[in-house]
Amino acid sequence: RAKGDGRGNYRFFEKGMDAAMQHRRTIESGLRLGLTRDEFSLVYQPLMDLDSSRVSCMEALLRWEHSELGVVSPVEFIPVAEEIGFIVPLGEWVLREACRAAAAWPSDIRIAVNLSPVQFKSHRLIEVVRRALDDAGLSADRLELEITESVMLTDHDQALDTLHTLRAMGIRISMDDFGTGYSSLSYLRAFPFDKIKIDRSFIEDVGSQDANLEIIKAVIALGKSLGMSTTAEGVETEAQLDAVRAHGCTEVQGFLFSRPLSETDAADLLSRLAPLPVAQTTRKAS
Ligand code: C2E
Ligand code: MG
Ligand code: MG
Ligand code: MG
């Protein structure tokens, strides 16, 4: 009987595997075609500076609408793109597209672009970044690159070199999803980050009964002592906002302020928010 069950399970497993592998192959081939077929786009989510209550930055987030599968989440296709190496050309497209869009925004608004560890290790990275900035006519100090803790795991020295080169160019570096990876506090000291983005999972239960504010407080304090700003990711409620603000968080991002926006809606939002009252008065008077 045990044997029978085993075979049954095996066959079921095999069928499941088939479907999964089929789906995976569709994604793999779809990725390559998608770039030529214009199926990728970027959306932009504002980051709010809590001191000035203004938008400081927009994070570019990749979207894919596959011809048959419909909308595929980056959480699903980015790992596949990383495995087959396709994240390098795809990531280059993202970088160029994001810089092009940002060049049309008010000059005090930065653009944040997510970098995969695979891209980060590519020997062409510096050249690709430099060219994206040049071609868009975007100043390097308007670009933030978001990387995750995993980039520090393998070639420590090379990662440090790359970070120093990027920062010397004037680019800011953010540590994304902080607290979810293999974070070691010593990394924060060793690596020159400008910003720590506290992962959404820590913000989620803030304002609820069993909120774990100690970690958030500690990260904000650590950031402050290392001269890094801190962003709370995934702020959805007023209670979460109040809590992270009370503990000295410098920036927030989340559905409470805005969902990711199309390029048109992003430009619209920025043109509504950006003009200073002074500038408006001057324009009217002249
Ligand atoms: P991430 O870089 O941490 O981006 C933030 C994610 O949180 C985005 O999901 C955003 O839509 C979502 N989010 C923002 N505010 C809220 C909120 O208040 N509540 C909730 N529930 N979610 C919120 P998205 O766009 O699905 O992206 C998921 C992840 O995929 C990103 O996480 C990033 O790791 C990766 N990703 C997206 N675009 C790119 C890209 O161009 N390149 C690379 N390498 N990775 C990307
Ligand atoms: Mg990010
Ligand atoms: Mg993040
Ligand atoms: Mg996150």
Side-chain angles (χ1 to χ4, degrees):
R1 211 185 115 221
K3 202 178 167 189
D5 280 350
R7 287 178 61 113
N9 288 342
Y10 177 71
R11 257 191 232 116
F12 177 73
F13 179 67
E14 204 175 35
K15 260 191 186 162
M17 277 300 282
D18 268 0
M21 277 167 69
Q22 192 60 50
H23 181 70
R24 154 97 195 203
R25 267 194 295 261
T26 310
I27 294 209
E28 279 187 24
S29 56
L31 281 169
R32 301 181 208 278
L33 274 175
L35 200 53
T36 63
R37 288 183 182 164
D38 233 17
E39 291 174 356
F40 291 98
S41 60
L42 295 182
V43 288
Y44 302 90
Q45 189 181 33
L47 278 71
M48 303 280 293
D49 178 73
L50 286 177
D51 261 344
S52 62
S53 301
R54 295 171 72 97
V55 177
S56 49
C57 181
M58 303 286 268
E59 179 175 4
L61 295 161
L62 186 56
R63 294 292 178 263
W64 182 26
E65 193 165 350
H66 184 273
S67 53
E68 289 153 43
L69 301 173
V71 173
V72 187
S73 163
V75 179
E76 185 177 0
F77 71 77
I78 287 193
V80 179
E82 284 174 336
E83 270 176 58
I84 63 173
F86 190 68
I87 193 69
V88 173
L90 184 59
E92 181 171 350
W93 179 85
V94 170
L95 196 61
R96 297 184 61 82
E97 180 71 3
C99 289
R100 181 197 57 73
W105 298 341
S107 60
D108 59 337
I109 307 290
R110 292 190 298 272
I111 176 82
V113 177
N114 291 286
L115 273 197
S116 151
V118 180
Q119 271 176 286
F120 189 78
K121 281 179 207 126
S122 148
H123 62 278
R124 288 188 51 236
L125 177 72
I126 302 296
E127 185 202 327
V128 163
V129 171
R130 200 172 271 136
R131 206 143 31 87
L133 289 169
D134 281 354
D135 290 350
L138 190 76
S139 149
D141 59 10
R142 292 183 58 196
L143 178 63
E144 295 186 1
L145 294 175
E146 299 194 356
I147 59 175
T148 52
E149 292 152 296
S150 60
V151 302
M152 268 78 65
L153 285 180
T154 47
D155 196 339
H156 206 274
D157 289 344
Q158 209 222 310
L160 199 54
D161 262 8
T162 306
L163 285 184
H164 280 303
T165 307
L166 290 168
R167 289 194 85 215
M169 288 165 67
I171 295 164
R172 291 165 205 243
I173 310 290
S174 306
M175 161 62 45
D176 204 356
D177 303 335
F178 186 75
T180 56
Y182 304 86
S183 38
S184 146
L185 296 183
S186 60
Y187 284 152
L188 278 186
R189 264 181 59 92
F191 288 89
F193 301 111
D194 298 278
K195 183 187 284 188
I196 304 170
K197 297 185 80 175
I198 307 170
D199 191 67
R200 174 155 58 89
S201 54
F202 297 101
I203 311 299
E204 232 160 25
D205 59 3
V206 169
S208 78
Q209 286 279 318
D210 44 42
N212 187 355
L213 273 171
E214 297 313 314
I215 291 181
I216 296 177
K217 276 197 251 179
V219 175
I220 294 171
L222 187 70
K224 206 169 268 172
S225 73
L226 293 171
M228 301 172 188
S229 60
T230 41
T231 305
E233 286 188 333
V235 173
E236 295 183 351
T237 67
E238 293 285 349
Q240 291 167 347
L241 172 63
D242 291 345
V244 298
R245 195 205 299 269
H247 291 105
C249 200
T250 46
E251 209 176 44
V252 285
Q253 175 180 18
F255 295 167
L256 179 65
F257 307 96
S258 173
R259 299 220 162 225
L261 304 167
S262 71
E263 186 177 343
T264 314
D265 289 348
D268 227 48
L269 173 88
L270 293 175
S271 70
R272 271 188 285 123
L273 296 181
L276 299 164
V278 179
Q280 262 178 353
T281 316
T282 317
R283 214 178 295 145
K284 260 182 206 152
S286 62

